[in-house]
Structure formats: structure tokens, C-alpha cells
């Protein structure tokens, strides 16, 4: 109701003004309209926008269908957005002299690398920028069957077993191939050079140090529950949203390094803003390394844990997206607008091509409202 009153006020002021020029529409009200119009496709949605002068969050729908409306403070599964956190951790350890980005991975993981295609020739940097040529666990039909059959979470060794002794996709460094196992290996590398492991390092040196009070890294934990305030997770099956919260949690607990972050949209918008606008998380040299993107089909596409893309309006964006069994997320910083934007839903976009397309379409609509 408030948004309709706000639009009515804007309309009244416009009609009574002696100035013939049309004022800019209220972007927040228009963005809220887009969220609510999309609820036929999504159970719940959260949007956070951070600029130099303002920071706001909009929500629509339900965190738990028929039980709990989506709250501004709701926690969402961020899926592969977690890769940016892992990459930042690796770069911080590079700054500490504990990881060499151009060292062979077998420097840190000799036993594991003997079982991997390209294992003894790939570098840490090639894991970070997705040029290792490694196969992915998602390529394995056995993995997908075991994921559904359970039990979850899987151990790290079980996840790695799905890529052991499989053929490489290409020689290291000659092409780009998005691959989750790259970041699983990076998490294990962090484990090998830190006293308390990658989970503690990401929590202490990134989440706590930055002051992300509603962000949790949970991957690798056994027998845990989702942090209080986390939305339920759904998958649309035959036109009905089915609760897949148990499967969703189990997968996130399984995928160390390439997944694992559960957070509020405000925290993630703030994270990318501090990383890419304020530039206060990494040293200038490390940040430039992180933003050095490999090309795919002549277009810069991926840095070190950062995805580069241009919106339909041709605005350059830097950040990451995520998709899972019962969640979907976009989190990007737009340099020309000095703005971070995060959009999350609590329905699966990983295995549902139609839902993935609907979510991308909504994202582009939101970006159009905000910037174009």
C-alpha cells in the first residue's frame, strides 16, 4: 500500500508543478513494483542497493510460504558468490607470503594432484581464474545421483572422487571453463597454510574484519542447521513450490570454497562495495590482480573470483552470481554508477532453466529501473 501512496504523491506533485520538465521516477517504488510483479514466479525476493549516498533494501513475498513474510533482515544462500570470499582469502594469504599464485598446486596438495587431470601442472592462479581445464563434479552423473540419494553433507574426499582420473577439458591456461572444483581445491590449499583452516580464516579475516554481522560461512560443517533467519528453500515442480530446504542445506555444507556463504543482501552489497569501491579489503596490487580478467570469445569474463559482464543497457558490472537447488542470487558492483546491487530469491535456479531465465530477466528489469 505504501508504494501506491508514494506513487500517488509523485503524480500529484508532477501535475501541480509549473515546471513542464518531468521529474525522475521514484526508482525504489518502481523496483518494488518489479519485485511484486515477479511473485508469480518466485516465492520470495530480496533486493539491496548501496550507493555513495544511500543504502536500502526492498523485499517481496515469503521467506517461508504461508508462514513467514520475507523480512529485510532475511538470510539467503549466496551460492557461488562465496567464490569471491574464497578468492579474497587466497589473495590475503598471498599478501602474508603464505601462498604464491603462480606456484603449482602440487606445491600445496601433492597427494591430491597426483589423482587429478592436469594436477601436477596447474597453478593456483589458474584455479582462481577458471583456466585449469579441470572437470567438474557437476559433470558426473554418479555425483548427481549420490547427491539426491544422500546422505549429506558429503566429505571433501567424496566430492573430489568424482573428478579423480577423469580427462581434462583442456590444457591449463589455453581456455576458460567455469568449474566449481577449482574453488574446492583452493579451500583445501587455505587449509594447508593456516592453523585453523579456511572456514576460520574466511570468518576471522574477512567476515568479522569487515564487520559483516549477518554473514556466515557454513560449508564443511557436519550436522549443523541453517543460521537463524535463513529463508526456506523451494524448487518449482509441476507448477508448485516444493520445500527442498534439507537438500539445499546439505549441498551448501558439502561444497567448501565454491559455496558456503549465508548472508543478508545488505551485507553482500556492502562487501562488494568495500572491495571494489572503497578498496579497503585488499592491497591495491592484490585488487588489480583480482580484477585482471581472462577473455572468453574475445570478451573479458572472469578475474580471480570475480565475474565480469555487461547488462542489457551495456553497463559494465563486476561481481558474481549464484544458483543452487533452492536459491538464486546476483551480486554486482557497477563502477560507472558507484553502486552495488544484490538480488536474491529462495527458489532453485540451478537445475531449472526456465526459472534461471526468469530470474535473469527480473535482474535485468531491476538494473533497467535503477540505471537506465
Amino acid at each position: 500500500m505504501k508504494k501506491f501512496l508514494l506513487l500517488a504523491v509523485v503524480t500529484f506533485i508532477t501535475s501541480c508543478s509549473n515546471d513542464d520538465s518531468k521529474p525522475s521516477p521514484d526508482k525504489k517504488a518502481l523496483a518494488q513494483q518489479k519485485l511484486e510483479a515477479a511473485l508469480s514466479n518466485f516465492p520470495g525476493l530480496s533486493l539491496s542497493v548501496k550507493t555513495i549516498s544511500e543504502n536500502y533494501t526492498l523485499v517481496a513475498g515469503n521467506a517461508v510460504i504461508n508462514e513467514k513474510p520475507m523480512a529485510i533482515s532475511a538470510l539467503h544462500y549466496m551460492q557461488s558468490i562465496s567464490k569471491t570470499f574464497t578468492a579474497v582469502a587466497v589473495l590475503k594469504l598471498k599478501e602474508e607470503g603464505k601462498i604464491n599464485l603462480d606456484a603449482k598446486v602440487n606445491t600445496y596438495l601433492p597427494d591430491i594432484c597426483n589423482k587429478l587431470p592436469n594436477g601436477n601442472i596447474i597453478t593456483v592462479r589458474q584455479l582462481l581464474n577458471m583456466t585449469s581445464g579441470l572437470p567438474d563434479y557437476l559433470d558426473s552423473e554418479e555425483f548427481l545421483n549420490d547427491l539426491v540419494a544422500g546422505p549429506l553433507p558429503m566429505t571433501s574426499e567424496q566430492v573430489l572422487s568424482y573428478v579423480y582420473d577423469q580427462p581434462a577439458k583442456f590444457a591449463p591456461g589455453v581456455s576458460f571453463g567455469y568449474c566449481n572444483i577449482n574453488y574446492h581445491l583452493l579451500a583445501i590449499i587455505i587449509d594447508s597454510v593456516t592453523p585453523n583452516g579456511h572456514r576460520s580464516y574466511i570468518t576471522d579475516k574477512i567476515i568479522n574484519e569487515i564487520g559483516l554481522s549477518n554473514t556466515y560461512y557454513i560449508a564443511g560443517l557436519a550436522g549443523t542447521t541453517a543460521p537463524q533467519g535463513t529463508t526456506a528453500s523451494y524448487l518449482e515442480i509441476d507448477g508448485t513450490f516444493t520445500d527442498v530446504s534439507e537438500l539445499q542445506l546439505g549441498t551448501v555444507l558439502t561444497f567448501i570454497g565454491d559455496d558456503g556463504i549465508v548472508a543478508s543482501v545488505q551485507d553482500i552489497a556492502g562487501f562488494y562495495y568495500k572491495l571494489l569501491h572503497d578498496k579497503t579489503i585488499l592491497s591495491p596490487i592484490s585488487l588489480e590482480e583480482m580484477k585482471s580478467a581472462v577473455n572468453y570469445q574475445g570478451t573479458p569474463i572472469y578475474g580471480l573470483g570475480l565475474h565480469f559482464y555487461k547488462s542489457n543497457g551495456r553497463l559494465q558490472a563486476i561481481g558474481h552470481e549464484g544458483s543452487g537447488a533452492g536459491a538464486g542470487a546476483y551480486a554486482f558492483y557497477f563502477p560507472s554508477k558507484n553502486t552495488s546491487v544484490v538480488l536474491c530469491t529462495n527458489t532453485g535456479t540451478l537445475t531449472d532453466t526456465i526459472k534461471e531465465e526468469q530470474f535473469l530477466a527480473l535482474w535485468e528489469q531491476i538494473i533497467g529501473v535503477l540505471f537506465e
Side-chain angles (χ1 to χ4, degrees):
M1 179 61 71
K2 288 183 179 179
K3 71 177 175 56
F4 294 113
L5 290 174
L6 183 56
L7 285 173
V9 170
V10 172
T11 303
F12 175 77
I13 293 173
T14 302
S15 65
C16 293
S17 174
N18 292 325
D19 187 354
D20 291 333
S21 65
K22 295 181 179 179
S24 298
D26 186 307
K27 294 182 178 182
K28 282 197 281 189
L30 292 176
Q32 183 72 52
Q33 283 184 313
K34 293 294 184 183
L35 295 178
E36 293 185 9
L39 290 177
S40 58
N41 297 321
F42 305 98
L45 294 158
S46 295
L47 171 71
S48 191
V49 179
K50 181 172 177 57
T51 72
I52 293 174
S53 59
E54 60 182 348
N55 186 6
Y56 60 88
T57 299
L58 306 175
V59 297
N62 293 294
V64 182
I65 293 176
N66 297 326
E67 291 184 26
K68 186 177 180 181
M70 188 67 71
I72 290 175
S73 60
L75 303 181
H76 289 268
Y77 291 102
M78 294 297 167
Q79 309 294 157
S80 286
I81 289 166
S82 309
K83 290 181 173 70
T84 305
F85 284 76
T86 302
V88 168
V90 171
L91 286 162
K92 279 183 169 289
L93 287 163
K94 180 214 72 168
E95 294 173 0
E96 295 174 17
K98 295 179 180 178
I99 292 179
N100 180 349
L101 300 191
D102 295 309
K104 297 288 195 296
V105 174
N106 63 10
T107 304
Y108 306 99
L109 308 175
D111 294 337
I112 289 175
C113 285
N114 287 331
K115 305 173 190 177
L116 293 172
N118 294 341
N120 289 310
I121 56 176
I122 55 177
T123 66
V124 175
R125 191 183 302 274
Q126 288 164 343
L127 295 180
L128 285 163
N129 65 15
M130 304 290 187
T131 61
S132 70
L134 288 171
D136 200 4
Y137 54 76
L138 289 178
D139 300 328
S140 168
E141 185 174 342
E142 182 184 4
F143 162 76
L144 296 173
N145 291 335
D146 290 347
L147 190 71
V148 174
L152 295 175
M154 296 179 181
T155 65
S156 175
E157 183 61 29
Q158 183 178 352
V159 173
L160 288 168
S161 72
Y162 298 108
V163 300
Y164 283 159
D165 303 319
Q166 298 300 310
K169 291 190 172 182
F170 51 82
V174 304
S175 186
F176 169 83
Y178 188 88
C179 175
N180 292 286
I181 207 69
N182 288 330
Y183 276 71
H184 191 105
L185 291 169
L186 288 167
I188 304 174
I189 290 174
I190 298 171
D191 288 343
S192 74
V193 299
T194 57
N196 298 312
H198 77 281
R199 188 184 314 108
S200 292
Y201 192 88
I202 288 171
T203 300
D204 295 339
K205 298 295 185 178
I206 303 174
I207 294 172
N208 292 344
E209 196 165 290
I210 296 172
L212 303 179
S213 59
N214 288 306
T215 299
Y216 307 87
Y217 180 81
I218 66 171
L221 293 172
T224 191
T225 57
Q228 187 173 1
T230 303
T231 67
S233 300
Y234 300 93
L235 183 65
E236 187 170 11
I237 301 174
D238 297 328
T240 301
F241 289 118
T242 300
D243 193 319
V244 293
S245 297
E246 185 176 351
L247 174 64
Q248 171 67 26
L249 176 61
T251 59
V252 172
L253 293 173
T254 295
F255 301 142
I256 63 171
D258 63 296
D259 201 333
I261 293 289
V262 183
S264 68
V265 286
Q266 302 97 319
D267 267 17
I268 298 303
F271 168 69
Y272 281 103
Y273 198 84
K274 290 180 180 180
L275 177 66
L276 297 167
H277 181 272
D278 296 344
K279 303 178 181 180
T280 55
I281 297 178
L282 292 170
S283 71
I285 292 174
S286 293
L287 182 58
E288 285 309 305
E289 278 193 288
M290 193 175 194
K291 291 165 62 179
S292 179
V294 297
N295 289 336
Y296 181 69
Q297 298 180 344
T299 301
I301 188 168
Y302 206 85
L304 309 185
L306 289 174
H307 177 207
F308 288 69
Y309 99 104
K310 288 187 177 179
S311 69
N312 287 344
R314 308 305 296 164
L315 287 174
Q316 180 65 62
I318 310 170
H320 221 290
E321 65 285 340
S323 58
Y330 285 98
F332 283 88
Y333 175 72
F334 292 80
S336 66
K337 303 297 182 179
N338 297 311
T339 302
S340 285
V341 185
V342 178
L343 177 67
C344 291
T345 185
N346 55 341
T347 190
T349 58
L350 179 63
T351 60
D352 188 332
T353 303
I354 294 175
K355 196 60 59 186
E356 181 182 24
E357 292 172 353
Q358 291 171 338
F359 194 50
L360 176 58
L362 175 61
W363 167 256
E364 288 290 352
Q365 289 173 21
I366 295 293
I367 298 308
V369 166
L370 296 176
F371 301 135
E372 298 164 14

